[in-house]
Amino acid sequence: MKDDEFCAQNLLLQPLEKLDKQANQLSVISVDLHKEENRSNHWTSEYEIEHLVIRRGQAFEMTISFDRNFDPEIDTITLQLVTGKRPQESKGSVRRLVVHKELYHIDRWCAQLKDIGDKTANIRIMTRADAIVGQYGMWVETLTKTDDTVFHVRHKCDEAVYLLFNPWVPEDDVYMELEEEREEYVLNETGAIWVGNWRRFGPVHWNFGQFEDIALDVALYLLDKAELAPTARSNPVQIVRTLAAMVNSNDEDGGILEGRWTRSYPHGSTPPTAWTGSAEILEKFVENDYQPVKYGQCWVFAGLCTTLARVLGIPTRVITNFESAHDTDASMTIDFHYNEDDEPVDYLNDSVWNFHVWNESAFRRPDLPSGNDGWQAFDATPQEVSEGVMRCGPAPVNSIKKGDVYMLYDLPFVFAEVNGDRVYWVVQKDGTMKADGVSKHCIGKHISTKAVGSDERVDITDTYKFPEGSEDERKCVLKANKFSSRKDHNIYDKKMEADVSMKLTGSSNMDILVGEDATVTLEMANISTETRTLNVVMCSKMAFYTGITFQDIKTEKFAVTMEPKSEEKVTMIISQKDYLDNLVADGAIKTFVKATVAETQQLFVDFDVIDFVKPDMNVEVLDDPIVMNEDFEVKISFANPLPIPLKNCHFHAEGSAIHSHSHRHRGNIGPNKEVSAKIRVKATRYGRRKLIVNFYSEQISGIRGYAFINVKKYHPKQKEEGESESGDEKPDVAMETSGDN
């Protein structure tokens, strides 16, 4: 049976009213949902959607107008709220509330008659704190009993009611105690996502835009498309697990965004580095008849998840893990292979991403033992399947730290991302392999998120693991290893003498502008009383941020003899001409260094990434004042740092409550040339807003800037007498600008 046929047979969804109206019959004329007052009380005033948006577990009020005065002696009012494609009482998706004068409970669905006016009744409705989240239709029924007649009328309200999670109510599983955290993780429309590498990183500013009218509709569409049962929609665990699956399109299940990690992108698509926020992606998704948008990478998936979870009321933040491992075989170790000539065998290796971005949402986990409430990690970037679907989590961060990888969901994968050990394998000429060593402290560094109330970075590594090398940390790794797919391989047996200290230095520790030469240096100190002979191999390759290499640059080998108590260093220079022809927009130079001490078989292996510094972008707002719903002009400028032309250049702008998402195509930009462009945008809500601008080309991307703009509700001369607005709290200059690099 089709959904519409099901609803047609449900008598509760049919209007009831006699054609020949009787004098005593009580009929509904109109329903006033008091949207402005209710939305203000429920922290939903910023939602652009026109319907009433409220949060569960909290009362809201409405006024019903009738064709005569309501008489509680003969009249009864019943409110009916329905949700889902096939609403029915037995599934909890139909709620029928008889309006009582005195009865009112904060722990159940109920309706209270507050007062009676001239042909009106004012009613307070309470929803449960574990109610189904989604769009509800509302019906008002009146039952009038006289001495010999019963009149029954059912009226369908024209407007929908959207019911969300409520972090302000302790009874809701998503409750968050601190107001400043609710402001940050539920209400903040913009944020910062950290990218780069573990030595050098910075923020990408992102427009989440969760209050734009399209966001809530798309979030609910995804739950429908995933066929998530209405009863499951009361549970934040099931909601975020569904979002993790539906934000990516890998399973051909109607998801939003297609991932792609390549050197170039097809004409007509948008490279991942071009996006500045979620709103435009959601708009493209709807405009293209819900076909996947092309293309995204991890921070884009995480930005979308933040938007869709926050719009539903779930406290959510973006997490960046540097040196993030991708374990492909549930071993919870990260395997790296090289041949007998000390050259990497790339196709055999697990990847270690320079950075990887996922999400955390905060809620209780009644499905797990105590101690697992709080932040839950989940990930929409398509990496590995979970229960047959490309998704990850939610995984309780407390259990990740403790190595309790048997908890739900997908803890082994997340544990390996942040705390796996790297195992080195020698691939011998006959194809056999042997473990050559283990690095215990190279995975999971500087795990980062945006600070509450500012754009500063907060390091939360200690929430995911104990201090590297500590007894607690090693215990957790060994505990997790008991659940490894290769627990029978005793990779920790090999012992070796270590009397030469080695450290990798060079350009990765410095600010190297794109187009400049780079260096890789190995510093060595022989602390023994004997001579030591070292064989050193240095390799450099162009690589994506995922750690996947796509072009060899340079390899050098060194033989070093060290006298007792002496120090030496060897350096490989990577000149501009070595890499410039292979430079791609989001590429970096990945270096691999292996050193072996001949006398003791001491092994040193290390990796590093050279991310080039990008030039600053200046974002200047040219108009003043900026008034809501009026176009204004923005000037963008920066200098091409390269001695070669930049091809296929685009500027891209987006901002909170700025709906005219703007692109400007610039064609090619000459070598070392200054460039500027002007774009026109429009703010649709007043107050302090953030405009984010991005530049990308085939050779370089990630040149970003932003401006804070104070948007006026009216022109000063039009401002109504005595009216105040949040946009007037700042000076009329109304602009702060910054580059991201």
Side-chain angles (χ1 to χ4, degrees):
M1 182 184 294
K2 295 181 179 179
D3 294 336
D4 55 353
E5 294 174 347
F6 178 91
C7 292
Q9 293 192 28
N10 190 334
L11 297 179
L12 291 177
L13 304 182
Q14 312 311 315
L16 287 174
E17 187 154 8
K18 288 187 177 182
L19 294 178
D20 297 327
K21 188 176 183 308
Q22 303 297 312
N24 287 331
Q25 178 177 315
L26 182 65
S27 296
V28 176
I29 301 300
S30 64
V31 176
D32 182 357
L33 294 176
H34 300 302
K35 287 188 288 187
E36 185 174 347
E37 297 89 344
N38 283 322
R39 287 167 67 122
S40 177
N41 292 334
H42 286 248
W43 301 275
T44 60
S45 296
E46 288 286 300
Y47 281 77
E48 292 183 356
I49 200 164
E50 293 183 355
H51 297 280
L52 176 60
V53 183
I54 55 175
R55 300 186 187 277
R56 66 185 190 177
Q58 183 174 340
F60 68 100
E61 295 188 8
M62 60 186 286
T63 299
I64 307 171
S65 297
F66 302 104
D67 61 345
R68 64 168 173 82
N69 284 334
F70 170 74
D71 183 354
E73 297 298 323
I74 62 171
D75 297 323
T76 301
I77 303 172
T78 299
L79 303 181
Q80 177 175 280
L81 290 97
V82 302
T83 187
K85 293 182 177 180
R86 296 189 172 207
Q88 59 188 93
E89 281 192 90
S90 60
K91 303 296 185 184
S93 51
V94 174
R95 293 290 180 175
R96 293 179 56 79
L97 313 177
V98 178
V99 178
H100 297 274
K101 186 168 180 60
E102 302 298 338
L103 189 63
Y104 180 72
H105 299 274
I106 63 171
D107 60 348
R108 69 182 67 171
W109 287 86
C110 59
Q112 179 191 32
L113 181 64
K114 283 194 66 183
D115 55 67
I116 301 170
D118 181 19
K119 297 183 181 180
T120 62
N122 185 248
I123 298 170
R124 175 187 290 159
I125 301 99
M126 187 70 186
T127 63
R128 279 182 60 96
D130 60 356
I132 295 169
V133 166
Q135 179 182 335
Y136 282 77
M138 181 180 287
W139 302 73
V140 178
E141 292 183 16
T142 61
L143 190 68
T144 301
K145 293 182 179 181
T146 62
D147 292 339
D148 54 359
T149 311
V150 174
F151 299 102
H152 191 186
V153 179
R154 182 181 298 127
H155 170 83
K156 189 178 190 306
C157 299
D158 294 331
E159 293 198 62
V161 176
Y162 288 82
L163 188 62
L164 310 180
F165 291 98
N166 195 344
W168 282 263
V169 172
E171 292 78 16
D172 197 313
D173 280 344
V174 303
Y175 173 65
M176 184 163 268
E177 183 177 3
L178 299 179
E179 176 61 25
E180 56 267 32
E181 291 189 347
R182 296 192 291 258
E183 291 278 348
E184 180 67 49
Y185 300 131
V186 181
L187 301 181
N188 195 349
E189 292 183 82
T190 60
I193 304 172
W194 266 260
V195 300
N197 64 73
W198 74 275
R199 292 185 189 274
R200 189 180 186 283
F201 42 77
V204 169
H205 292 268
W206 192 264
N207 177 49
F208 298 123
Q210 69 266 34
F211 300 133
E212 298 202 14
D213 53 8
I214 201 167
L216 184 53
D217 283 339
V218 170
L220 298 178
Y221 166 84
L222 294 177
L223 303 184
D224 287 341
K225 191 68 177 177
E227 299 183 349
L228 186 66
T231 51
R233 300 185 192 195
S234 64
N235 185 347
V237 177
Q238 296 302 319
I239 295 284
V240 300
R241 188 152 172 78
T242 301
L243 293 179
M246 297 301 294
V247 164
N248 72 70
S249 65
N250 278 57
D251 300 293
E252 299 183 358
D253 51 7
I256 296 175
L257 190 63
E258 182 176 335
R260 183 170 175 133
W261 290 260
T262 56
R263 295 180 67 171
S264 60
Y265 294 87
H267 179 73
S269 66
T270 303
T273 52
W275 302 112
T276 52
S278 305
E280 185 180 3
I281 299 172
L282 299 178
E283 288 183 356
K284 284 183 176 291
F285 180 58
V286 174
E287 289 170 1
N288 295 335
D289 197 24
Y290 300 96
Q291 296 302 304
V293 178
K294 300 178 179 181
Y295 292 99
Q297 292 177 359
C298 66
W299 69 94
V300 186
F301 289 109
L304 275 173
C305 278
T306 304
T307 300
L308 297 169
R310 285 186 184 180
V311 76
L312 294 173
I314 302 173
T316 302
R317 63 186 183 182
V318 181
I319 306 299
T320 301
N321 178 40
F322 294 97
E323 293 297 291
S324 186
H326 181 175
D327 174 26
T328 58
D329 62 353
S331 64
M332 287 176 282
T333 58
I334 315 307
D335 298 317
F336 185 83
H337 305 77
Y338 40 80
N339 59 28
E340 291 181 311
D341 294 325
D342 294 334
E343 297 166 338
V345 185
D346 291 332
Y347 76 93
L348 294 174
N349 295 334
D350 290 335
S351 62
V352 177
W353 299 30
N354 300 346
F355 67 92
H356 180 50
V357 183
W358 60 75
N359 293 95
E360 286 179 358
S361 288
F363 46 81
R364 292 190 281 265
R365 290 296 298 267
D367 58 321
L368 297 179
S370 62
N372 286 291
D373 295 344
W375 290 111
Q376 314 288 321
F378 70 102
D379 192 351
T381 301
Q383 296 185 91
E384 300 294 326
V385 296
S386 172
E387 295 181 340
V389 177
M390 197 68 77
R391 61 184 169 189
C392 181
V397 174
N398 287 342
S399 283
I400 297 169
K401 180 174 183 175
K402 294 184 291 186
D404 292 338
V405 296
Y406 46 84
M407 296 289 182
L408 298 175
Y409 292 89
D410 307 312
L411 267 79
F413 185 81
V414 184
F415 181 87
E417 286 183 300
V418 300
N419 208 13
D421 286 343
R422 196 175 217 158
V423 182
Y424 302 110
W425 298 83
V426 177
V427 182
Q428 300 176 105
K429 288 184 170 60
D430 62 359
T432 59
M433 303 179 190
K434 67 174 182 178
D436 200 33
V438 178
S439 287
K440 301 177 182 179
H441 314 306
C442 61
I443 300 299
K445 297 177 181 288
H446 301 312
I447 303 176
S448 304
T449 194
K450 176 186 173 302
V452 172
S454 79
D455 283 342
E456 297 300 313
R457 185 186 75 91
V458 175
D459 194 298
I460 59 168
T461 307
D462 63 347
T463 68
Y464 277 86
K465 57 184 180 180
F466 292 98
E468 289 283 12
S470 67
E471 183 179 353
D472 286 335
E473 186 261 348
R474 281 294 93 193
K475 284 180 178 178
C476 293
V477 171
L478 295 176
K479 182 203 294 187
N481 188 252
K482 294 177 182 178
F483 298 89
S484 168
S485 61
R486 289 212 316 263
K487 56 182 176 292
D488 55 325
H489 286 62
N490 201 335
I491 59 174
Y492 296 102
D493 270 354
K494 185 169 182 176
K495 308 293 182 185
M496 64 180 67
E497 185 179 351
D499 55 15
V500 178
S501 66
M502 290 176 256
K503 181 173 71 171
L504 191 60
T505 63
S507 294
S508 61
N509 294 317
M510 299 179 287
D511 289 345
I512 302 296
L513 293 173
V514 62
E516 294 183 344
D517 294 349
T519 61
V520 182
T521 298
L522 179 66
E523 298 178 355
M524 301 159 284
N526 180 7
I527 59 177
S528 76
T529 57
E530 300 176 7
T531 300
R532 292 290 181 250
T533 306
L534 286 80
N535 295 312
V536 181
V537 177
M538 291 183 170
C539 298
S540 60
K541 301 170 182 276
M542 291 302 298
F544 301 114
Y545 81 96
T546 59
I548 302 299
T549 61
F550 60 84
Q551 182 66 50
D552 291 344
I553 297 178
K554 195 172 191 178
T555 298
E556 290 188 4
K557 297 184 178 182
F558 305 87
V560 181
T561 300
M562 300 188 68
E563 297 299 323
K565 307 294 184 181
S566 66
E567 297 181 355
E568 298 282 352
K569 65 180 179 180
V570 293
T571 298
M572 178 173 68
I573 299 174
I574 305 169
S575 68
Q576 179 196 91
K577 65 181 178 63
D578 290 327
Y579 70 82
L580 204 56
D581 289 343
N582 294 305
L583 193 65
V584 296
D586 55 351
I589 297 175
K590 184 175 183 178
T591 62
F592 159 71
V593 176
K594 178 176 180 287
T596 307
V597 180
E599 291 81 6
T600 63
Q601 296 305 301
Q602 178 185 342
L603 175 68
F604 173 85
V605 180
D606 204 357
F607 304 81
D608 220 335
V609 176
I610 300 171
D611 264 330
F612 295 104
V613 178
K614 310 292 175 61
D616 289 331
M617 174 187 287
N618 184 56
V619 181
E620 181 183 0
V621 179
L622 300 179
D623 296 323
D624 180 39
I626 308 302
V627 180
M628 183 175 69
N629 292 322
E630 293 188 7
D631 286 351
F632 61 94
E633 196 167 50
V634 177
K635 181 181 178 181
I636 309 153
S637 57
F638 74 98
N640 174 11
L642 296 178
I644 58 174
L646 303 181
K647 299 178 181 179
N648 192 23
C649 303
H650 289 79
F651 290 98
H652 190 103
E654 183 175 329
S656 60
I658 297 177
H659 276 203
S660 298
H661 310 291
S662 301
H663 304 263
R664 184 176 176 89
H665 179 63
R666 288 287 306 197
N668 296 344
I669 296 175
N672 302 118
K673 293 291 185 181
E674 295 276 344
V675 62
S676 65
K678 293 180 180 178
I679 59 174
R680 296 199 69 80
V681 292
K682 179 169 61 179
T684 58
R685 281 177 277 143
Y686 65 89
R688 191 169 190 256
R689 304 295 169 189
K690 189 176 188 179
L691 176 68
I692 302 166
V693 184
N694 187 18
F695 170 84
Y696 65 98
S697 68
E698 292 180 5
Q699 289 72 32
I700 189 172
S701 67
I703 300 175
R704 304 180 180 94
Y706 64 91
F708 284 108
I709 305 163
N710 290 316
V711 181
K712 306 290 184 181
K713 191 173 184 179
Y714 307 104
H715 278 286
K717 62 183 179 181
Q718 296 175 329
K719 187 174 177 182
E720 297 180 12
E721 187 70 26
E723 178 159 1
S724 64
E725 49 173 285
S726 61
D728 283 339
E729 294 174 1
K730 299 284 184 179
D732 284 347
V733 174
M735 183 182 70
E736 302 169 43
T737 65
S738 176
D740 276 354
N741 304 287

